[in-house]
PDB file of all heavy atoms in Angstrom:
ATOM      1  N   ILE B 369      99.403  87.634 109.970  1.00  0.00           N
ATOM      2  CA  ILE B 369      99.613  87.780 108.529  1.00  0.00           C
ATOM      3  C   ILE B 369      99.189  89.165 108.063  1.00  0.00           C
ATOM      4  O   ILE B 369      99.921  89.838 107.332  1.00  0.00           O
ATOM      5  CB  ILE B 369      98.845  86.671 107.784  1.00  0.00           C
ATOM      6  CG1 ILE B 369      99.612  85.360 107.951  1.00  0.00           C
ATOM      7  CG2 ILE B 369      98.677  87.020 106.327  1.00  0.00           C
ATOM      8  CD1 ILE B 369      98.997  84.208 107.249  1.00  0.00           C
ATOM      9  N   ILE B 370      98.025  89.623 108.521  1.00  0.00           N
ATOM     10  CA  ILE B 370      97.571  90.931 108.047  1.00  0.00           C
ATOM     11  C   ILE B 370      98.448  92.029 108.626  1.00  0.00           C
ATOM     12  O   ILE B 370      98.751  93.022 107.940  1.00  0.00           O
ATOM     13  CB  ILE B 370      96.087  91.116 108.364  1.00  0.00           C
ATOM     14  CG1 ILE B 370      95.287  90.167 107.484  1.00  0.00           C
ATOM     15  CG2 ILE B 370      95.641  92.530 108.089  1.00  0.00           C
ATOM     16  CD1 ILE B 370      93.846  90.138 107.763  1.00  0.00           C
ATOM     17  N   ALA B 371      98.899  91.860 109.857  1.00  0.00           N
ATOM     18  CA  ALA B 371      99.805  92.865 110.428  1.00  0.00           C
ATOM     19  C   ALA B 371     101.098  92.934 109.628  1.00  0.00           C
ATOM     20  O   ALA B 371     101.598  94.022 109.329  1.00  0.00           O
ATOM     21  CB  ALA B 371     100.107  92.533 111.879  1.00  0.00           C
ATOM     22  N   MET B 372     101.652  91.769 109.235  1.00  0.00           N
ATOM     23  CA  MET B 372     102.890  91.779 108.445  1.00  0.00           C
ATOM     24  C   MET B 372     102.659  92.449 107.093  1.00  0.00           C
ATOM     25  O   MET B 372     103.479  93.252 106.633  1.00  0.00           O
ATOM     26  CB  MET B 372     103.388  90.347 108.218  1.00  0.00           C
ATOM     27  CG  MET B 372     104.192  89.785 109.364  1.00  0.00           C
ATOM     28  SD  MET B 372     104.594  88.065 109.083  1.00  0.00           S
ATOM     29  CE  MET B 372     105.989  88.205 107.978  1.00  0.00           C
ATOM     30  N   THR B 373     101.513  92.111 106.446  1.00  0.00           N
ATOM     31  CA  THR B 373     101.246  92.677 105.122  1.00  0.00           C
ATOM     32  C   THR B 373     101.080  94.191 105.202  1.00  0.00           C
ATOM     33  O   THR B 373     101.687  94.941 104.430  1.00  0.00           O
ATOM     34  CB  THR B 373      99.975  92.043 104.533  1.00  0.00           C
ATOM     35  OG1 THR B 373     100.028  90.652 104.753  1.00  0.00           O
ATOM     36  CG2 THR B 373      99.855  92.333 103.077  1.00  0.00           C
ATOM     37  N   MET B 374     100.259  94.632 106.170  1.00  0.00           N
ATOM     38  CA  MET B 374     100.057  96.072 106.298  1.00  0.00           C
ATOM     39  C   MET B 374     101.374  96.743 106.673  1.00  0.00           C
ATOM     40  O   MET B 374     101.689  97.827 106.181  1.00  0.00           O
ATOM     41  CB  MET B 374      99.020  96.354 107.375  1.00  0.00           C
ATOM     42  CG  MET B 374      97.600  96.107 106.931  1.00  0.00           C
ATOM     43  SD  MET B 374      96.511  96.412 108.306  1.00  0.00           S
ATOM     44  CE  MET B 374      95.222  97.337 107.531  1.00  0.00           C
ATOM     45  N   GLY B 375     102.160  96.075 107.543  1.00  0.00           N
ATOM     46  CA  GLY B 375     103.415  96.672 107.993  1.00  0.00           C
ATOM     47  C   GLY B 375     104.374  96.917 106.842  1.00  0.00           C
ATOM     48  O   GLY B 375     105.018  97.963 106.788  1.00  0.00           O
ATOM     49  N   ILE B 376     104.444  95.976 105.896  1.00  0.00           N
ATOM     50  CA  ILE B 376     105.430  96.130 104.823  1.00  0.00           C
ATOM     51  C   ILE B 376     105.013  97.289 103.905  1.00  0.00           C
ATOM     52  O   ILE B 376     105.842  98.089 103.484  1.00  0.00           O
ATOM     53  CB  ILE B 376     105.624  94.809 104.052  1.00  0.00           C
ATOM     54  CG1 ILE B 376     106.979  94.798 103.357  1.00  0.00           C
ATOM     55  CG2 ILE B 376     104.586  94.579 103.024  1.00  0.00           C
ATOM     56  CD1 ILE B 376     108.075  94.381 104.241  1.00  0.00           C
ATOM     57  N   TYR B 377     103.695  97.399 103.624  1.00  0.00           N
ATOM     58  CA  TYR B 377     103.240  98.532 102.805  1.00  0.00           C
ATOM     59  C   TYR B 377     103.476  99.850 103.536  1.00  0.00           C
ATOM     60  O   TYR B 377     103.879 100.854 102.942  1.00  0.00           O
ATOM     61  CB  TYR B 377     101.759  98.382 102.458  1.00  0.00           C
ATOM     62  CG  TYR B 377     101.508  97.417 101.334  1.00  0.00           C
ATOM     63  CD1 TYR B 377     100.949  96.179 101.562  1.00  0.00           C
ATOM     64  CD2 TYR B 377     101.840  97.753 100.035  1.00  0.00           C
ATOM     65  CE1 TYR B 377     100.720  95.290 100.542  1.00  0.00           C
ATOM     66  CE2 TYR B 377     101.614  96.868  99.000  1.00  0.00           C
ATOM     67  CZ  TYR B 377     101.052  95.645  99.262  1.00  0.00           C
ATOM     68  OH  TYR B 377     100.841  94.782  98.247  1.00  0.00           O
ATOM     69  N   LEU B 378     103.211  99.833 104.846  1.00  0.00           N
ATOM     70  CA  LEU B 378     103.404 101.040 105.644  1.00  0.00           C
ATOM     71  C   LEU B 378     104.870 101.446 105.613  1.00  0.00           C
ATOM     72  O   LEU B 378     105.204 102.625 105.465  1.00  0.00           O
ATOM     73  CB  LEU B 378     102.959 100.760 107.074  1.00  0.00           C
ATOM     74  CG  LEU B 378     102.660 101.966 107.932  1.00  0.00           C
ATOM     75  CD1 LEU B 378     101.565 102.766 107.287  1.00  0.00           C
ATOM     76  CD2 LEU B 378     102.235 101.527 109.305  1.00  0.00           C
ATOM     77  N   LEU B 379     105.753 100.448 105.717  1.00  0.00           N
ATOM     78  CA  LEU B 379     107.188 100.718 105.698  1.00  0.00           C
ATOM     79  C   LEU B 379     107.572 101.378 104.381  1.00  0.00           C
ATOM     80  O   LEU B 379     108.275 102.402 104.366  1.00  0.00           O
ATOM     81  CB  LEU B 379     107.941  99.399 105.875  1.00  0.00           C
ATOM     82  CG  LEU B 379     109.443  99.533 106.073  1.00  0.00           C
ATOM     83  CD1 LEU B 379     109.710 100.080 107.456  1.00  0.00           C
ATOM     84  CD2 LEU B 379     110.114  98.194 105.902  1.00  0.00           C
ATOM     85  N   ILE B 380     107.070 100.802 103.269  1.00  0.00           N
ATOM     86  CA  ILE B 380     107.413 101.366 101.958  1.00  0.00           C
ATOM     87  C   ILE B 380     106.957 102.815 101.891  1.00  0.00           C
ATOM     88  O   ILE B 380     107.697 103.707 101.483  1.00  0.00           O
ATOM     89  CB  ILE B 380     106.776 100.532 100.829  1.00  0.00           C
ATOM     90  CG1 ILE B 380     107.391  99.144 100.793  1.00  0.00           C
ATOM     91  CG2 ILE B 380     106.959 101.216  99.494  1.00  0.00           C
ATOM     92  CD1 ILE B 380     106.739  98.216  99.801  1.00  0.00           C
ATOM     93  N   SER B 381     105.713 103.081 102.324  1.00  0.00           N
ATOM     94  CA  SER B 381     105.225 104.448 102.137  1.00  0.00           C
ATOM     95  C   SER B 381     105.888 105.412 103.108  1.00  0.00           C
ATOM     96  O   SER B 381     106.139 106.563 102.746  1.00  0.00           O
ATOM     97  CB  SER B 381     103.701 104.498 102.247  1.00  0.00           C
ATOM     98  OG  SER B 381     103.304 104.133 103.511  1.00  0.00           O
ATOM     99  N   LEU B 382     106.224 104.963 104.310  1.00  0.00           N
ATOM    100  CA  LEU B 382     106.907 105.877 105.230  1.00  0.00           C
ATOM    101  C   LEU B 382     108.312 106.192 104.726  1.00  0.00           C
ATOM    102  O   LEU B 382     108.747 107.347 104.795  1.00  0.00           O
ATOM    103  CB  LEU B 382     106.971 105.262 106.636  1.00  0.00           C
ATOM    104  CG  LEU B 382     105.640 105.214 107.377  1.00  0.00           C
ATOM    105  CD1 LEU B 382     105.824 104.698 108.786  1.00  0.00           C
ATOM    106  CD2 LEU B 382     104.999 106.594 107.420  1.00  0.00           C
ATOM    107  N   LEU B 383     109.004 105.169 104.190  1.00  0.00           N
ATOM    108  CA  LEU B 383     110.332 105.416 103.627  1.00  0.00           C
ATOM    109  C   LEU B 383     110.249 106.436 102.503  1.00  0.00           C
ATOM    110  O   LEU B 383     111.034 107.376 102.449  1.00  0.00           O
ATOM    111  CB  LEU B 383     110.928 104.106 103.089  1.00  0.00           C
ATOM    112  CG  LEU B 383     111.603 103.196 104.108  1.00  0.00           C
ATOM    113  CD1 LEU B 383     112.162 101.973 103.420  1.00  0.00           C
ATOM    114  CD2 LEU B 383     112.717 103.960 104.801  1.00  0.00           C
ATOM    115  N   THR B 384     109.241 106.221 101.604  1.00  0.00           N
ATOM    116  CA  THR B 384     109.115 107.146 100.481  1.00  0.00           C
ATOM    117  C   THR B 384     108.855 108.553 100.981  1.00  0.00           C
ATOM    118  O   THR B 384     109.438 109.517 100.473  1.00  0.00           O
ATOM    119  CB  THR B 384     107.977 106.699  99.560  1.00  0.00           C
ATOM    120  OG1 THR B 384     108.067 105.306  99.405  1.00  0.00           O
ATOM    121  CG2 THR B 384     108.067 107.382  98.239  1.00  0.00           C
ATOM    122  N   SER B 385     107.980 108.691 101.981  1.00  0.00           N
ATOM    123  CA  SER B 385     107.678 110.061 102.400  1.00  0.00           C
ATOM    124  C   SER B 385     108.871 110.668 103.122  1.00  0.00           C
ATOM    125  O   SER B 385     109.080 111.888 103.039  1.00  0.00           O
ATOM    126  CB  SER B 385     106.417 110.112 103.258  1.00  0.00           C
ATOM    127  OG  SER B 385     106.589 109.350 104.404  1.00  0.00           O
ATOM    128  N   ALA B 386     109.703 109.830 103.773  1.00  0.00           N
ATOM    129  CA  ALA B 386     110.912 110.374 104.385  1.00  0.00           C
ATOM    130  C   ALA B 386     111.850 110.915 103.312  1.00  0.00           C
ATOM    131  O   ALA B 386     112.366 112.036 103.414  1.00  0.00           O
ATOM    132  CB  ALA B 386     111.614 109.293 105.198  1.00  0.00           C
ATOM    133  N   VAL B 387     112.032 110.108 102.236  1.00  0.00           N
ATOM    134  CA  VAL B 387     112.893 110.557 101.145  1.00  0.00           C
ATOM    135  C   VAL B 387     112.346 111.839 100.542  1.00  0.00           C
ATOM    136  O   VAL B 387     113.091 112.782 100.245  1.00  0.00           O
ATOM    137  CB  VAL B 387     113.005 109.449 100.072  1.00  0.00           C
ATOM    138  CG1 VAL B 387     113.690 109.974  98.827  1.00  0.00           C
ATOM    139  CG2 VAL B 387     113.748 108.259 100.625  1.00  0.00           C
ATOM    140  N   MET B 388     111.012 111.895 100.395  1.00  0.00           N
ATOM    141  CA  MET B 388     110.408 113.082  99.787  1.00  0.00           C
ATOM    142  C   MET B 388     110.572 114.306 100.663  1.00  0.00           C
ATOM    143  O   MET B 388     110.728 115.413 100.165  1.00  0.00           O
ATOM    144  CB  MET B 388     108.916 112.851  99.534  1.00  0.00           C
ATOM    145  CG  MET B 388     108.607 112.114  98.279  1.00  0.00           C
ATOM    146  SD  MET B 388     109.854 112.307  97.043  1.00  0.00           S
ATOM    147  CE  MET B 388     109.555 113.972  96.567  1.00  0.00           C
TER     148      MET B 388
END
Side-chain angles (χ1 to χ4, degrees):
Chain B
I369 285 181
I370 291 175
M372 277 174 80
T373 315
M374 283 178 136
I376 203 83
Y377 281 108
L378 199 59
L379 188 72
I380 294 175
S381 64
L382 288 185
L383 277 181
T384 317
S385 61
V387 170
M388 278 334 288

